[in-house]
Amino acid sequence: MQLNELETPVLVLDRIKMENNIKRLREHLKPFNVLFRPHLKTCKSADVARYMTQSGGPVTVSTLKEAEYFLEHGWNDILYAVGIAANKFAHVANLVDRGAKMTVILDNRETASALAQFCSDRKLSLPVLLEVDTDGHRSGILPDSDALLDVAGFFCRSKDDSGAWLAGVMTHAGDSYNCKDTLSIVALAELERKGAVNAAQRLRAVGFDAPIVSVGSTPTAHFASSLEGVTEVRAGVFVFFDLVMAGLGVCNVTDIALSVLCTVIGHQKEKGWMITDAGWMAMSRDRGTAKQRVDQGYGLVCNLDGVVMNDLVMCEANQEHGIIMHRQDPKKTPMLPVGTQLRLLPNHACSTAAQHESYKVVAGGPEIEAQWARFSGWEGSVHVKN
Amino acid sequence: MQLNELETPVLVLDRIKMENNIKRLREHLKPFNVLFRPHLKTCKSADVARYMTQSGGPVTVSTLKEAEYFLEHGWNDILYAVGIAANKFAHVANLVDRGAKMTVILDNRETASALAQFCSDRKLSLPVLLEVDTDGHRSGILPDSDALLDVAGFFCRSKDDSGAWLAGVMTHAGDSYNCKDTLSIVALAELERKGAVNAAQRLRAVGFDAPIVSVGSTPTAHFASSLEGVTEVRAGVFVFFDLVMAGLGVCNVTDIALSVLCTVIGHQKEKGWMITDAGWMAMSRDRGTAKQRVDQGYGLVCNLDGVVMNDLVMCEANQEHGIIMHRQDPKKTPMLPVGTQLRLLPNHACSTAAQHESYKVVAGGPEIEAQWARFSGWEGSVHVKN
């Protein structure tokens, strides 16, 4: 079956580009001798994950549903990289019972105290990483703060002790998405490394084993010039890349493996609009490039073969309608015939992929070689009460 | 089971508010003697649809997957309200074969010609509405234009002829979402009515039956002062309402039936941030209130009982993290304890609901009385080639 035979909108994945993206990061990381722990929140698909990491792990997830799904598909070394909440303790314990080697993160006394108690009550040996804030963009404890040792104090010093034990630190330099050039990403990667290593050393100095120093974001993973003291690196969006990453200079537009196939369903000639059947439901409402040097609207237009039509962007979105226009001058919009199929590159691979149920996989050409399922949401097969 | 026993994030639906919203629109429309054809793109759930309309129809959908699902759940009078593309003809024919009374829309010669040919080849009697542009916001033919009669010319004049026949006109005053006050909505509703009725009269004047005049958007449906000549009204988001509708003055914030339950998972005290486990994946990236008088960020915060905490908004979102802050002054953010559960009112009910797999249904209180499934995506059980 070929792309032009599909009902639209539909999500298309170019396997060749994806494999090149994976290879590029693996090769960049090779000299640093660190564990690579890909973040599977972007793909949410075992078929994609198999290209990123061998069955068994190590992987990173952003929901317990992801943990559950990837455990069922053979990955058991799982870092749940969102600060754990007490209403998820029982679900984590259930995953451990089912064979997962779960690691959780947190950044505060309240959760630390509750989790230590929970693990002690359940006789659950659980590795915990302290989330460290190295760039001010979100969660985490400052590496130099008293709070670091204070929160650590709730946990056992090594995995040989029973209960929740302090396995180390993790940080995510999410502010790298706001960098203006790759030099700033290099600098931020070093900040991320230094902060995490510093935090781990402070913990070790007071007697914790803290063997793990986990860092990562797609930009910093690609531009780190040193990873001294780091034991593992995480990245997610790199597998597909997107317009935000291209805008940052982390990849080229031609590296983007993901696109939404749509059909021109009408014109408003006087306005220079082509109307398509891919709206915000198909692309997501993500406008990540709005703050960048080049605003790509809701997506950059390619022809059916995936060749970028540089001046055409999806400038407006309704639920199931998109409006495509020349980015500077509506008079220059080519009124491609009704029925023409186009491919739209997404601002943000995670949010666009999340709107779809599967990937139609191509290898450069128009032939669909596979369909790979993906999932969304939070509700696992087990919804556990505490 | 009670709300506070749930893992978060999770979508909560207040059935009492929903029923009041439905009742309000039904009562507003009663004096006008029009058919009410609710748009099910917002709820995508048979359990919700049962409150909006009796099994059998009439309903409006935005995807053929919705058509298929609602057909399977007992609704067969279905308007697919996105301009049909040729790659969907076979799917529509398949739905008709399975018992659906499908109506489709279009606004151009190319599709009209192809559809007329398809229906003739397949001996398929199919009602078609011409999409009319009454407010310039998206698709459609201008009611006064020559194109109206030109496109109509491809179709049979009545349902008694075989093949695709011109059943009338439809329009959607989507620009009502950009109105600044309810007076402008009243005016736009009248423009919407006049344009649609005018188009239908022009078609009838040249011999088409064109019995249907279909109008609607949630704002104009609530503020129409006349519906003379209109035969049916559509609305979707009214069933739940949202912050955009409240900002327009179409409803009050307290009418919003939908919220996302989340948990405080950490603090950044110096910044006045509470971090939660509901990010843009749970709320969507919709920032519909950004252009309104009051910007509600990614959502307005309520306590677990659903009582609005007027000064607290979700000001920033990562994939699985939200940041809640006082809307004017971070120093005034109350640092609610880690573990506190909050409910977030969405900017846009359609986009937030689309991120979730089910509604946890409450009736004012904390008790969960039901769980209603919902679906997303485009891929039906049948994916048909042309």
Side-chain angles (χ1 to χ4, degrees), chain A residues 92-303:
Chain A
V92 169
N94 176 276
L95 289 163
V96 172
D97 287 346
R98 291 160 68 188
K101 181 189 162 300
M102 293 296 299
T103 301
V104 301
I105 70 167
L106 53 79
D107 72 353
N108 60 81
R109 286 179 62 92
E110 295 89 330
T111 311
S113 161
L115 181 62
Q117 186 64 52
F118 178 88
C119 290
S120 163
D121 292 348
R122 300 276 185 114
K123 304 199 188 322
L124 178 68
S125 172
L126 188 71
V128 178
L129 304 182
L130 294 192
E131 184 172 10
V132 171
D133 180 12
T134 52
D135 66 352
H137 89 290
R138 189 166 78 194
S139 308
I141 309 171
L142 292 175
D144 284 325
S145 65
D146 294 341
L148 187 83
L149 302 183
D150 182 44
V151 177
F154 289 93
F155 297 108
C156 304
R157 291 174 177 240
S158 100
K159 68 174 168 191
D160 301 328
D161 304 322
S162 71
W165 67 280
L166 195 75
V169 298
M170 74 81 75
T171 191
H172 166 60
D175 208 40
S176 58
Y177 280 57
N178 303 318
C179 283
K180 298 294 173 203
D181 50 51
T182 53
L183 271 182
S184 344
I185 302 176
V186 173
L188 188 56
E190 180 56 13
L191 264 185
E192 184 184 35
R193 183 197 71 80
K194 261 195 187 154
V197 171
N198 171 25
Q201 284 167 340
R202 290 185 63 215
L203 293 166
R204 290 169 192 151
V206 296
F208 291 99
D209 277 1
I212 298 172
V213 178
S214 179
V215 305
S217 74
T218 283
T220 54
H222 285 77
F223 286 91
S225 53
S226 159
L227 287 170
E228 206 185 322
V230 167
T231 66
E232 64 176 45
V233 172
R234 308 179 319 275
V237 84
F238 80 98
V239 65
F240 301 146
F241 279 134
D242 53 30
L243 293 170
V244 166
M245 287 298 126
L248 283 174
V250 177
C251 68
N252 295 312
V253 162
T254 49
D255 297 325
I256 300 174
L258 211 61
S259 60
V260 172
L261 181 70
C262 69
T263 304
V264 176
I265 61 168
H267 298 139
Q268 293 290 21
K269 292 200 180 78
E270 303 68 28
K271 294 173 181 159
W273 291 357
M274 289 189 284
I275 315 276
T276 79
D277 60 358
W280 56 253
M281 192 64 91
M283 296 304 292
S284 91
R285 273 286 191 196
D286 200 292
R287 291 281 291 103
T289 55
K291 289 180 295 187
Q292 293 189 327
R293 212 169 50 249
V294 180
D295 183 346
Q296 307 281 18
Y298 284 92
L300 180 59
V301 180
C302 303
N303 69 15

Side-chain angles (χ1 to χ4, degrees), chain B residues 89-373:
Chain B
F89 290 172
H91 199 162
V92 169
N94 175 275
L95 290 163
V96 173
D97 287 346
R98 291 158 68 188
K101 183 190 162 300
M102 293 297 298
T103 302
V104 302
I105 70 167
L106 52 79
D107 72 353
N108 61 81
R109 286 178 63 91
E110 294 89 332
T111 311
S113 163
L115 182 62
Q117 187 64 54
F118 178 88
C119 290
S120 164
D121 292 348
R122 299 276 184 115
K123 304 200 188 322
L124 178 69
S125 172
L126 188 71
V128 178
L129 304 182
L130 294 191
E131 184 171 10
V132 171
D133 179 12
T134 52
D135 67 351
H137 90 288
R138 189 167 78 192
S139 308
I141 309 171
L142 292 175
D144 283 325
S145 65
D146 295 341
L148 187 82
L149 302 182
D150 182 45
V151 177
F154 289 93
F155 298 108
C156 304
R157 289 172 180 243
S158 98
K159 69 175 167 189
D160 301 328
D161 306 320
S162 71
W165 67 280
L166 195 75
V169 299
M170 75 80 76
T171 192
H172 166 60
D175 207 39
S176 57
Y177 279 56
N178 301 320
C179 285
K180 296 295 172 202
D181 50 50
T182 54
L183 271 181
S184 346
I185 302 176
V186 173
L188 187 56
E190 181 54 13
L191 264 185
E192 183 184 36
R193 182 196 72 80
K194 260 194 188 156
V197 171
N198 171 27
Q201 284 167 341
R202 290 184 64 215
L203 293 166
R204 289 170 194 152
V206 297
F208 290 98
D209 278 3
I212 298 172
V213 178
S214 179
V215 305
S217 75
T218 285
T220 55
H222 284 80
F223 286 90
S225 54
S226 160
L227 288 171
E228 207 184 322
V230 167
T231 66
E232 64 175 46
V233 171
R234 310 178 318 276
V237 83
F238 80 98
V239 65
F240 300 147
F241 279 134
D242 53 30
L243 293 169
V244 166
M245 288 297 127
L248 282 174
V250 177
C251 69
N252 295 313
V253 162
T254 49
D255 297 325
I256 301 173
L258 211 61
S259 60
V260 172
L261 181 70
C262 69
T263 304
V264 176
I265 61 168
H267 298 139
Q268 294 289 23
K269 292 201 179 79
E270 303 68 27
K271 294 172 180 159
W273 292 356
M274 289 189 284
I275 315 276
T276 78
D277 60 0
W280 57 253
M281 192 63 91
M283 295 306 290
S284 90
R285 272 286 192 196
D286 200 290
R287 289 281 291 104
T289 55
K291 289 181 294 188
Q292 293 189 325
R293 214 170 49 248
V294 179
D295 183 346
Q296 306 281 18
Y298 284 92
L300 181 59
V301 180
C302 303
N303 68 15
L304 184 59
D305 298 324
V307 179
V308 175
M309 304 169 85
N310 248 320
D311 293 326
L312 285 185
V313 291
M314 178 169 160
C315 62
E316 198 43 83
N318 291 178
Q319 184 157 342
E320 299 288 347
H321 296 78
I323 299 180
I324 289 177
M325 215 173 68
H326 189 281
R327 67 169 80 233
Q328 270 113 30
D329 183 357
K331 289 191 204 78
K332 292 188 181 158
T333 308
M335 287 294 152
L336 302 172
V338 167
T340 303
Q341 288 188 317
L342 297 169
R343 284 163 71 180
L344 305 164
L345 301 179
N347 278 315
H348 190 170
C350 303
S351 53
T352 299
Q355 304 299 102
H356 296 264
E357 305 154 87
S358 74
Y359 303 96
K360 308 297 177 195
V361 184
V362 297
E367 187 71 30
I368 298 161
E369 61 174 25
Q371 169 166 312
W372 291 346

